[in-house]
């Protein structure tokens, strides 16, 4: 099976953008619920959502109120991380790779695009927000399911999976970063609301049920970190994503560099100890880890998307 | 009968041939069932069907891009739900004529780039051919397989008031529109499924596999599955949708110039995740001028440096072959009937339109004296740009063209204004006659093959004769219908 480097690149980015749209929708959804659960006065601020996604430079000096932040995450076309922008970018990538994807993929991605164009702006307020975020999540999952159940297990599938998993691993670390609380600021730390925060984060990863069954009913910081980082059976755990990336890198040619970086990340993940790290340490680890994932993305790109010409 | 059809015959002003309705106001035999069914639909029902078609078009993402005010706009494909119906017996003759024409044109191109016998025999003046911008001296002495140069030809046909088909022009460079022909059938199946019960309609959807066989037959290497690519200028090209559609339909790679390179062995390769991969056949959808910056335009970033070298060495096939445009010059058009006699020893079975060559003095005098009756066309433009429809043009416009012709007579031809046939078209809430043409596609490789029907383009503006989608035209599904089925 032949796969053009350029096509591989576009499939990979399609997957990354779809995953980013879905994960941002999940995180926003969970966070909105969380804020409603916490008594007025002790609720964390909306700024966290912007910080967690490294969006401050684009967000600028606007006030971090609910309206501004949610508009930024959902509808702002200038923000490359906004749901609307991710969906548009995913569509552009599908538009130029339609020939290697099952036809329905284009139809569904295009419908999702038309939906977000029509609804994103109107869904910033609380009234319509829930429905919009749920639709985005559901539709992204439908497209994922379609890809998983129709794509041949060849290069197209491989690069799509790489894109999904790399993005998902990155987002999982960001979710944990919310809980790490370094961003919350000490004045906001409050033992009583802590379990609420961790539970809502698990919810954003669709992992609450599994957590209860495998770890137990009590939601507690260290075991959540442990679970989201290293539970090998959880499809949204960092470990699961890295294992999946490895699986797809192995059959590729010229994979030495990428595998080396991946193994390094896997090692640092397994060595990390949440018990001794403390919240500060956790946050610093996450920062470093995200850099490693970035390096891996860069290596994938220079190895397979921009191969040297003779 | 539904109200929206009531005025159809009163609206049929002027004497045009109508594709579906006779002058007596009755449906033509081949269209009887379809017209009856459509007339039985209430206005509400008709509107619902149109809406369903629009939805299908949006969802299938059928679009074309127009360049306007410095921006590319992706527009939904304008489609009329009432099909155009042609009886199979009539089509058979047209189809034979198209195949004959394509064979003669290919013989002509091959001759021009090799022995130039037709010029030596004085059938047409050498300077017309050799001084045309479409003649590419770089292609001389190349002999592509089967003598086939224009592997994919889109020939525009119109029906005059006498009901006969005439060839308006041949598009031998990078003709487009075939994907719309295929999608139009898909849409009709979705929105008017009942119609397919009472008709035996020749299917069109094997076009991609026919195209694949044609291209595969050109491969320089004997391989079970030669490596075929579709070369597109990219997403901003107006026909990008079609390039992707055809690549997918053939299981070929859709590539851009930057995906390809010519190595020191003069073979063409593409960049893949597994390393370079040899390419056998390029179905290119970019013009000659942009194909190879080493040979043609140096500033082209769309093409592939060295691809002409690879082609001339016989290491890669290019469809259509570079230089094929030499035969779709509108001046050369006037000589096609002669070519058919010369190369094939046959009488042309499809009529051409009387063509005045402004380069010949008597013709020019006639054209200048009759600008208000004629259509004047530049010899090498396509897409309906730069032409003047005399009867519809202002005085100023006619004066402007008179000047242009005098300045550069070689560059202009003129033809009588044909009264293009009409067909019932669903406009707002009524069914009205609108003018249309037809573009069938002819494939030429080891064998010759003609699409059953083609792309019908319709001028949606009342009275307009310009059917180009870039200028407000729409399209219709085109049916070739076999004899009655009970």
């Amino acid at each position: 099976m032949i796969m053009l480097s350029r096509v591989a690149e576009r499939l990979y980015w399609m997957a990354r953008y779809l995953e980013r749209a879905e994960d941002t929708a999940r995180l926003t959804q969970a966070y909105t619920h969380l804020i409603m659960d916490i008594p007025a006065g002790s609720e964390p601020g909306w700024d966290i959502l912007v910080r967690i996604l490294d969006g401050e430079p684009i967000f600028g000096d606007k006030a971090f109120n609910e309206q501004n932040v949610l508009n930024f995450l959902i509808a702002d076309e200038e923000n490359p991380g906004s749901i609307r922008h991710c969906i548009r970018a995913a569509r552009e990538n599908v538009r130029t790779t339609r020939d290697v994807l099952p036809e329905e993929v284009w139809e569904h991605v295009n419908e999702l695009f038309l939906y977000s164009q029509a609804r994103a702006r109107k869904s910033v307020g609380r009234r319509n927000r829930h429905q919009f975020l749920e639709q985005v999540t559901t539709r992204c999952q439908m497209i994922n399911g379609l890809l998983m159940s129709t794509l041949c297990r060849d290069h197209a599938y491989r690069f799509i999976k790489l894109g999904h998993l790399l993005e998902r691993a990155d987002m999982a670390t960001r979710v944990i970063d919310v809980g790490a609380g370094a961003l919350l600021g000490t004045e906001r730390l409050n033992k009583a609301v802590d379990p609420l925060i961790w539970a809502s984060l698990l919810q954003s990863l669709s992992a609450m049920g599994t957590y209860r069954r495998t770890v137990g009913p009590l939601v507690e910081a260290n075991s959540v970190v442990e679970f989201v980082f290293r539970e090998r059976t959880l499809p949204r755990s960092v470990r699961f994503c890295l294992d999946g990336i490895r699986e797809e890198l192995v059959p590729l040619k010229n994979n030495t560099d990428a595998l080396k970086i991946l193994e390094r990340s896997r090692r640092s993940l397994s060595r990390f100890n949440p018990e001794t790290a403390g919240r500060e340490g956790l946050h610093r680890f996450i920062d470093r880890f995200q850099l490693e994932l970035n390096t891996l993305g860069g290596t994938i790109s220079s190895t397979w998307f921009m191969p040297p010409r003779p | 009968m539904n109200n929206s059809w009531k005025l159809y015959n009163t609206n049929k002003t002027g004497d045009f041939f109508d594709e579906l309705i006779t002058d007596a106001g009755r449906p033509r035999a081949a269209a009887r069932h379809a017209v009856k069914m459509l007339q039985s639909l209430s206005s509400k029902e008709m509107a619902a069907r149109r809406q369903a078609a629009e939805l299908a078009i949006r969802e299938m993402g059928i679009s074309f891009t127009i360049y306007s005010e410095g921006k590319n706009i992706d527009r939904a494909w304008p489609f009329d739900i009432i099909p155009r119906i042609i009886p199979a017996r009539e089509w058979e003759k047209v189809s034979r004529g198209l195949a004959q024409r394509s064979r003669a044109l290919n013989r002509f191109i091959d001759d021009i780039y090799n022995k130039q016998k037709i010029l030596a025999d004085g059938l047409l003046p050498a300077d017309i051919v050799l001084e045309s911008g479409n003649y590419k001296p770089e292609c001389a002495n190349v002999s592509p397989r089967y003598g086939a140069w224009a592997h994919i030809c889109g020939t525009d046909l119109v029906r005059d008031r006498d009901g006969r088909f005439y060839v308006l022009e041949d598009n031998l460079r990078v003709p487009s529109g075939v994907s719309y022909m295929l999608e139009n059938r898909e849409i009709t199946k979705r929105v008017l499924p009942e119609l397919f019960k009472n008709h035996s309609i020749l299917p069109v959807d094997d076009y991609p596999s026919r195209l694949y066989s044609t291209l595969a037959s050109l491969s320089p290497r004997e391989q079970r599955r030669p490596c075929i690519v579709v070369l597109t200028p990219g997403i901003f090209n107006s026909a990008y949708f079609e390039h992707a559609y055809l690549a997918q339909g053939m299981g070929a790679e859709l590539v851009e110039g930057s995906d390809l390179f010519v190595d020191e062995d003069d073979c063409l390769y593409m960049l893949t995740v597994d390393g370079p991969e040899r390419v056998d056949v390029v179905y290119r959808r970019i013009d000659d001028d942009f194909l190879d910056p080493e040979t043609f335009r140096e500033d082209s970033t769309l093409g592939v440096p060295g691809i002409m070298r690879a082609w001339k060495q016989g290491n890669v096939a290019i469809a259509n072959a570079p230089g094929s445009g030499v035969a779709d010059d509108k001046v050369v058009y006037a000589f096609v009937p002669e070519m058919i006699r010369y190369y094939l020893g046959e009488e042309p079975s499809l009529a051409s339109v009387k063509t005045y060559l402004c380069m010949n003095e008597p013709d020019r005098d006639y054209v200048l004296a009759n600008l208000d009756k004629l259509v004047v066309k530049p010899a090498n433009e396509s897409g309906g740009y730069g032409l003047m429809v005399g009867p519809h043009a202002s005085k100023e416009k006619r004066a402007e063209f008179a000047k242009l012709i005098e300045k550069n007579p070689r560059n202009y031809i003129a033809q009588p204004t044909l009264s293009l046939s009409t067909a019932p078209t669903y406009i707002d809430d009524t069914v009205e006659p609108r003018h249309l043409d037809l573009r069938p596609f002819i494939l030429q490789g080891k064998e010759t093959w003609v699409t059953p029907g083609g792309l019908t383009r319709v001028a949606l503006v009342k009275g307009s004769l310009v059917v180009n989608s870039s200028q407000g035209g729409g399209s219709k599904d085109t049916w070739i219908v076999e004899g009655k089925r009970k």
Side-chain angles (χ1 to χ4, degrees):
Chain A
M1 176 64 196
I2 295 167
M3 165 106 325
L4 286 173
S5 297
R6 179 180 47 79
V7 173
E9 181 175 22
R10 288 179 184 169
L11 292 174
Y12 167 86
W13 280 107
M14 167 201 76
R16 287 200 72 157
Y17 278 119
L18 280 176
E19 184 68 34
R20 198 176 294 173
E22 180 186 337
D23 295 349
T24 306
R26 286 167 168 278
L27 185 62
T28 312
Q29 180 86 311
Y31 204 80
T32 303
H33 281 275
L34 171 71
I35 295 234
M36 289 192 269
D37 279 341
I38 295 178
S42 33
E43 76 266 38
W46 289 101
D47 57 317
I48 290 164
L49 283 177
V50 177
R51 299 213 178 125
I52 209 84
L53 301 167
D54 293 323
E56 302 100 308
I58 302 159
F59 190 83
D61 46 15
K62 290 189 287 277
F64 282 109
N65 58 34
E66 182 169 352
Q67 166 71 22
N68 285 348
V69 170
L70 269 298
N71 182 57
F72 181 72
L73 294 177
I74 290 176
D76 189 350
E77 295 251 42
E78 305 297 307
N79 171 16
S82 79
I83 293 174
R84 187 167 171 194
H85 181 274
C86 288
I87 290 172
R88 174 197 286 281
R91 175 183 183 262
E92 281 311 298
N93 282 294
V94 181
R95 213 151 85 88
T96 46
T97 47
R98 279 175 76 166
D99 50 316
V100 298
L101 292 172
E103 271 167 53
E104 304 87 337
V105 173
W106 162 253
E107 289 195 21
H108 286 296
V109 172
N110 195 39
E111 275 172 40
L112 173 60
F113 167 74
L114 295 172
Y115 175 78
S116 99
Q117 286 302 102
R119 301 294 311 166
R121 277 210 187 286
K122 293 178 199 137
S123 306
V124 171
R126 283 195 188 186
R127 200 169 122 68
N128 300 321
R129 192 188 304 159
H130 173 78
Q131 202 201 357
F132 177 79
L133 297 172
E134 198 176 69
Q135 275 291 319
V136 169
T137 312
T138 310
R139 286 170 186 246
C140 284
Q141 288 197 302
M142 191 169 69
I143 294 164
N144 255 336
L146 188 61
L147 289 167
M148 293 303 127
S149 60
T150 55
L151 267 182
C152 256
R153 270 30 180 181
D154 59 11
H155 282 323
Y157 173 81
R158 188 156 293 134
F159 283 98
I160 288 173
K161 195 169 150 194
L162 284 175
H164 268 299
L165 293 180
L166 198 59
E167 188 70 29
R168 193 179 296 164
D170 179 81
M171 283 300 266
T173 63
R174 290 176 196 274
V175 165
I176 293 299
D177 214 2
V178 176
L183 296 165
L184 298 176
T186 40
E187 78 279 3
R188 275 176 180 159
L189 276 181
N190 181 333
K191 285 278 172 233
V193 302
D194 215 34
L196 284 176
I197 294 179
W198 288 110
S200 80
L201 295 176
L202 282 173
Q203 221 111 47
S204 79
L205 299 169
S206 296
M208 193 63 223
T210 321
Y211 179 89
R212 279 200 202 99
R213 281 193 303 277
T214 32
V215 185
L218 293 183
V219 182
E220 179 270 328
N222 287 342
S223 31
V224 173
V225 174
E226 178 70 38
F227 186 64
V228 172
F229 275 4
R230 291 203 282 252
E231 176 52 51
R232 64 169 72 213
T233 59
L234 179 73
R236 293 190 167 268
S237 81
V238 180
R239 169 72 190 270
F240 185 95
C241 295
L242 295 188
D243 287 353
I245 291 172
R246 186 167 193 287
E247 222 175 280
E248 301 311 323
L249 287 180
V250 166
L252 282 168
K253 284 189 187 167
N254 308 317
N255 58 7
T256 328
D257 291 352
L259 275 177
K260 207 187 282 170
I261 297 164
L262 179 79
E263 289 312 327
R264 204 167 62 208
S265 309
R266 274 160 48 104
R267 272 199 308 277
S268 57
L269 184 73
S270 62
R271 277 191 206 131
F272 176 73
N273 183 350
E275 304 275 346
T276 54
R279 296 202 174 209
E280 242 339 284
L282 176 60
H283 174 65
R284 277 202 309 276
F285 170 76
I286 288 172
D287 263 2
R288 272 202 316 276
F289 193 79
Q290 285 170 354
L291 283 180
E292 279 177 25
L293 291 180
N294 262 344
T295 315
L296 180 58
T299 306
I300 289 178
S301 153
S302 61
T303 309
W304 291 290
F305 306 156
M306 292 176 277
R309 280 162 188 260
Chain B
M1 191 196 295
N2 159 352
N3 277 332
S4 51
W5 287 74
K6 277 255 165 68
L7 291 171
Y8 192 79
N9 285 299
T10 10
N11 279 338
K12 272 173 65 187
T13 50
D15 53 335
F16 305 112
F17 180 89
D18 192 89
E19 299 284 336
L20 299 193
I21 307 290
T22 65
D23 288 341
R26 278 194 292 274
R28 295 188 188 280
R32 215 179 54 229
H33 283 296
V35 171
K36 206 171 124 194
M37 184 268 166
L38 287 164
Q39 289 186 337
S40 74
L41 295 177
S42 67
S43 302
K44 222 170 127 190
E45 187 68 14
M46 277 292 272
R49 306 288 174 119
R50 173 165 58 199
Q51 225 170 18
E54 282 165 6
L55 188 70
I57 288 166
R58 264 163 65 91
E59 285 181 0
M60 289 154 86
I62 311 172
S63 63
F64 69 103
T65 315
I66 49 168
Y67 189 77
S68 159
E69 290 160 8
K71 275 209 300 209
N72 278 297
I73 303 167
D74 215 19
R75 269 214 204 152
W77 177 244
F79 172 76
D80 182 63
I81 58 172
I82 306 174
R84 181 225 196 125
I85 300 171
I86 302 170
R89 269 179 32 216
E90 185 184 9
W91 181 252
E92 227 168 84
K93 276 180 239 151
V94 177
S95 171
R96 272 203 306 274
L98 289 166
Q100 175 195 51
R101 201 173 164 93
S102 160
R103 281 198 302 273
L105 286 166
N106 276 287
R107 291 279 290 273
F108 170 73
I109 306 169
D110 203 44
D111 186 18
I112 289 300
Y113 288 116
N114 288 283
K115 297 192 173 130
Q116 303 194 338
K117 268 171 56 200
I118 196 168
L119 303 182
D121 288 344
L123 235 78
L124 75 172
D127 56 337
I128 287 191
V129 178
L130 304 179
E131 280 165 28
S132 148
N134 292 321
Y135 172 74
K136 306 287 178 196
E138 298 85 351
C139 301
N141 302 315
V142 180
S143 303
R145 274 191 116 164
Y146 317 113
W149 290 67
H151 310 98
I152 298 100
C153 167
T155 293
D156 290 344
L157 301 176
V158 293
R159 238 203 254 255
D160 200 7
R161 63 172 67 79
D162 59 6
R164 275 177 80 193
F165 277 109
Y166 289 81
V167 175
L168 199 60
E169 62 183 52
D170 306 288
N171 296 282
L172 302 177
R173 284 171 275 185
V174 282
S176 62
V178 76
S179 61
Y180 300 120
M181 168 186 92
L182 302 172
E183 294 283 41
N184 286 352
R185 178 64 51 85
E186 271 319 296
I187 301 166
T188 313
K189 281 182 185 166
R190 284 198 197 188
V191 304
L192 290 166
E194 310 92 317
L195 284 183
F196 290 77
K197 262 199 306 213
N198 293 315
H199 292 91
S200 168
I201 306 157
L202 295 188
V204 292
D205 44 11
D206 60 342
Y207 179 82
S209 42
R210 298 280 182 169
L211 179 61
Y212 175 84
S213 307
T214 303
L215 295 172
S217 76
L218 309 175
S219 168
R221 289 190 297 175
E222 294 302 332
Q223 279 202 315
R224 202 176 64 79
R225 260 199 80 177
C227 176
I228 299 176
V229 301
V230 178
L231 175 59
T232 174
I235 189 87
F236 296 111
N237 185 269
S238 61
Y240 180 82
F241 166 80
E242 175 160 307
H243 307 159
Y245 184 95
L246 292 175
Q248 185 166 33
M250 291 192 290
E253 293 301 320
L254 180 67
V255 303
E256 294 172 18
S258 58
D259 296 322
L260 303 175
F261 71 95
V262 174
D263 211 344
E264 278 165 4
D265 58 359
D266 284 347
C267 291
L268 182 71
Y269 294 88
M270 60 182 169
L271 294 163
T272 80
V273 294
D274 295 319
E277 185 77 28
R278 166 106 185 252
V279 175
D280 297 301
V281 184
V282 179
Y283 176 29
R284 50 98 176 209
R285 297 294 300 256
I286 65 179
D287 284 330
D288 284 355
D289 287 347
F290 296 96
L291 200 53
D292 185 349
E294 282 182 10
T295 308
F296 302 114
R297 278 178 66 160
E298 274 173 47
D299 60 343
S300 169
T301 51
L302 303 175
V304 187
I307 194 173
M308 285 293 286
R309 223 180 328 125
W311 176 66
K312 283 167 127 174
Q313 305 271 338
N315 292 336
V316 67
I318 301 180
N320 289 350
S324 299
V326 72
D328 82 2
D329 186 291
K330 290 189 177 65
V331 177
V332 171
Y333 164 89
F335 296 93
V336 176
E338 278 308 308
M339 282 177 208
I340 294 174
R341 294 185 192 101
Y342 180 77
Y343 291 114
L344 308 178
E346 296 170 11
E347 273 308 301
S349 45
L350 261 178
S352 300
V353 184
K354 168 84 187 143
T355 302
Y356 301 94
L357 304 176
C358 296
M359 54 191 282
N360 297 339
E361 219 181 296
D363 279 12
R364 181 162 69 242
D365 292 344
Y366 177 84
V367 172
L368 290 172
N370 293 282
L371 278 175
D372 56 335
K373 300 191 191 74
L374 299 169
V375 179
V376 180
K377 297 175 178 176
N380 314 304
E381 282 286 342
S382 59
Y385 290 104
L387 66 75
M388 180 197 78
V389 182
H392 296 196
S394 64
K395 235 185 190 158
E396 292 75 26
K397 189 93 183 173
R398 290 206 295 267
E400 183 196 322
F401 267 75
K403 259 196 217 135
L404 286 171
I405 292 168
E406 276 164 4
K407 214 169 118 195
N408 191 355
R410 160 66 180 91
N411 205 26
Y412 289 92
I413 61 129
Q415 294 170 333
T417 317
L418 299 178
S419 43
L420 263 55
S421 60
T422 58
T425 305
Y426 187 42
I427 305 280
D428 298 328
D429 200 26
T430 56
V431 175
E432 293 181 26
R434 286 292 184 271
H435 295 290
L436 35 76
D437 78 350
L438 178 61
R439 175 179 287 184
F441 295 85
I442 303 102
L443 300 180
Q444 187 81 53
K446 197 172 173 187
E447 284 150 18
T448 313
W449 185 78
V450 181
T451 52
L455 175 65
T456 289
R457 298 182 301 175
V458 50
L460 296 175
V461 178
K462 192 171 190 165
S464 167
L465 298 173
V466 183
V467 295
N468 302 78
S469 52
S470 48
Q471 299 189 33
S475 78
K476 280 171 168 286
D477 189 12
T478 309
W479 292 3
I480 306 302
V481 173
E482 285 183 327
K484 264 183 258 168
R485 196 207 265 181
K486 291 285 172 190

